[in-house]
Amino acid sequence: MKCIQASYIKNFQCNGKICGARCCRDWRIIVDEETYDKISELDTAAREEIFQHTEWVEDEVEGVDIMVLKLREDGVCSLLDEKDCLCSLQKNHGEDYLTAICQSFPRVTYKLDEDFFEQSMTLTCPLAANLILLPTEPITFTETENVTARAIIGFKKRISRPAEDFFNIQMQAVKLLQDKNISINQRLKNLCEMFYKQTLPDAKFNFQVHAEILTEIFLKTYGANISRAQKKSLRQNYFSYRERILAQVYENFNNVLENYLVNEFFMRCYPCAYSGGEFHNVKIFITAYRILEFSLVLSAIAKKTLNVEEIIKVIYSVNDMLDHSQGGMEEIVNFAKGCNAADFVIKMLG
């Protein structure tokens, strides 16, 4: 068995006291079959104590009943001991009794073939985000024979080539994204050209159209309903300040943005994260990144500051909203679907 891991994983250690056990809030935590069986084998008192914190709900996708952990009124998992920010299930019975998702998070593990896995971490966890984004050295990848997670995403049917070839294509993309001899914008153009498989059309970038598209996607991502005048003001602010603010961001925090791009590409299993061809996926990847740039500019205007803490907050917010706001991600996917190569150059590759 082969598991390709992002090298930062070996340095991760969960500490709920630092982040306030953020991963134990506002999630639907499924009690998987393995965890259910282990709990069922405990003595009656221990078993009943745990199961009183569970409930059966209907899975909207599968249409079957599943057991989940109850959340308190404030959205906190009912098994969290807030005094020390530790799970009472783990404290009383050991890590083996954690649900698969709790044991695995923030690791994201894909099964590309029977004996080929990829593992990284999501930026949803603040401790993981710091490990991923802050280093000045490039993210590297190592091979191990161990898969240190029980929650595994089957991805064999999604990739368009054998697992080894898919991984090699990902590493070629990572190499482009880590090319410090050129700007990140040029790296994205090179990435686009790599999956377009020919020279991109010689079309002129239209910044006005670019700003209009990002404004619409941003508003749908955050579910904002504003007037036409407010929308125009938002677009104009981005139009006026983008060049100066992004120049400062890239001058001072280039490593953060590079690490973000590399981790997103690997962690989400691009170029096959979404149905459609590989070039289509890269258009989605770049457009989602432009939404991050848009958000960084607006944040800098509003807060009049550009520091690494604020940048990481914006990254966390944008990722969280795109993961949980169907409108924003759906808009990005539809935009990418409706763009041929020339359109994409005009609208996104400035």
Side-chain angles (χ1 to χ4, degrees), residues 193-347:
E193 204 159 80
M194 170 185 168
F195 287 96
Y196 186 54
K197 295 184 172 60
Q198 54 184 298
T199 302
L200 287 168
D202 185 18
K204 187 177 180 180
F205 176 66
N206 187 322
F207 182 60
Q208 186 68 44
V209 174
H210 175 75
E212 289 172 1
I213 291 168
L214 293 187
T215 300
E216 293 296 333
I217 295 174
F218 177 84
L219 293 175
K220 289 191 178 181
T221 299
Y222 284 88
N225 186 16
I226 63 176
S227 68
R228 183 177 297 179
Q230 290 172 315
K231 190 182 296 185
K232 182 179 179 181
S233 175
L234 191 68
R235 187 169 60 244
Q236 189 59 44
N237 277 335
Y238 179 68
F239 192 91
S240 301
Y241 292 98
R242 174 189 186 255
E243 187 173 349
R244 178 170 62 82
I245 290 175
L246 289 183
Q248 293 176 34
V249 170
Y250 285 117
E251 180 179 357
N252 297 297
F253 310 106
N254 202 67
N255 64 299
V256 174
L257 279 281
E258 176 188 304
N259 291 339
Y260 171 80
L261 284 165
V262 170
N263 195 68
E264 282 292 290
F265 199 91
F266 186 77
M267 185 269 293
R268 297 189 187 277
C269 250
Y270 282 106
C272 292
Y274 296 87
S275 58
E278 293 181 351
F279 180 54
H280 170 64
N281 267 261
V282 170
K283 288 187 289 183
I284 294 171
F285 173 73
I286 293 173
T287 305
Y289 179 70
R290 296 305 190 199
I291 290 297
L292 173 59
E293 287 185 334
F294 186 90
S295 303
L296 286 170
V297 171
L298 296 187
S299 176
I301 294 170
K303 298 185 177 181
K304 298 180 173 58
T305 183
L306 269 174
N307 58 53
V308 73
E309 290 79 13
E310 287 301 324
I311 287 175
I312 290 179
K313 283 181 184 178
V314 173
I315 289 174
Y316 174 84
S317 173
V318 171
N319 267 35
D320 187 53
M321 290 306 299
L322 287 177
D323 282 345
H324 298 102
S325 163
Q326 190 168 358
M329 206 61 234
E330 187 176 301
E331 190 75 4
I332 290 174
V333 171
N334 288 337
F335 165 74
K337 189 181 296 183
C339 264
N340 60 30
D343 288 336
F344 196 70
V345 171
I346 292 169
K347 298 171 181 176

Side-chain angles (χ1 to χ4, degrees), residues 64-281:
V64 297
D65 288 341
I66 55 174
M67 178 180 281
V68 300
L69 296 178
K70 291 180 182 178
L71 300 180
R72 300 171 192 152
E73 289 185 3
D74 59 359
V76 177
C77 176
S78 57
L79 287 175
L80 179 67
D81 186 337
E82 295 199 81
K83 293 179 182 178
D84 53 16
C85 288
L86 292 174
C87 174
S88 59
L89 190 61
Q90 180 178 357
K91 285 171 61 177
N92 296 333
H93 303 286
E95 186 177 343
D96 287 346
Y97 282 81
L98 288 173
T99 67
I101 188 60
C102 294
Q103 181 270 341
S104 303
F105 184 85
R107 301 169 192 85
V108 179
T109 307
Y110 291 99
K111 183 177 182 180
L112 304 186
D113 208 341
E114 290 307 310
D115 297 311
F116 200 109
F117 299 78
E118 288 186 352
Q119 190 174 74
S120 54
M121 292 200 298
T122 173
L123 297 169
T124 308
C125 167
L127 296 179
N130 287 340
L131 275 177
I132 295 165
L133 298 174
L134 293 181
T136 55
E137 293 299 314
I139 293 174
T140 58
F141 300 87
T142 58
E143 182 179 327
T144 177
E145 295 181 355
N146 299 316
V147 178
T148 55
R150 283 167 40 215
I152 297 173
I153 303 167
F155 218 71
K156 183 177 180 179
K157 293 182 179 179
R158 292 283 295 276
I159 61 176
S160 54
R161 54 185 84 220
E164 193 78 44
D165 292 348
F166 178 77
F167 169 68
N168 289 335
I169 286 290
Q170 283 187 307
M171 290 302 100
Q172 289 179 42
V174 165
K175 185 177 180 180
L176 288 179
L177 293 171
Q178 292 179 331
D179 185 355
K180 298 184 187 301
N181 294 315
I182 55 177
S183 69
I184 282 183
N185 197 53
Q186 185 60 52
R187 299 179 210 183
L188 294 176
K189 290 179 180 178
N190 291 351
L191 182 76
C192 203
E193 204 159 80
M194 170 185 168
F195 287 96
Y196 186 54
K197 295 184 172 60
Q198 54 184 298
T199 302
L200 287 168
D202 185 18
K204 187 177 180 180
F205 176 66
N206 187 322
F207 182 60
Q208 186 68 44
V209 174
H210 175 75
E212 289 172 1
I213 291 168
L214 293 187
T215 300
E216 293 296 333
I217 295 174
F218 177 84
L219 293 175
K220 289 191 178 181
T221 299
Y222 284 88
N225 186 16
I226 63 176
S227 68
R228 183 177 297 179
Q230 290 172 315
K231 190 182 296 185
K232 182 179 179 181
S233 175
L234 191 68
R235 187 169 60 244
Q236 189 59 44
N237 277 335
Y238 179 68
F239 192 91
S240 301
Y241 292 98
R242 174 189 186 255
E243 187 173 349
R244 178 170 62 82
I245 290 175
L246 289 183
Q248 293 176 34
V249 170
Y250 285 117
E251 180 179 357
N252 297 297
F253 310 106
N254 202 67
N255 64 299
V256 174
L257 279 281
E258 176 188 304
N259 291 339
Y260 171 80
L261 284 165
V262 170
N263 195 68
E264 282 292 290
F265 199 91
F266 186 77
M267 185 269 293
R268 297 189 187 277
C269 250
Y270 282 106
C272 292
Y274 296 87
S275 58
E278 293 181 351
F279 180 54
H280 170 64
N281 267 261

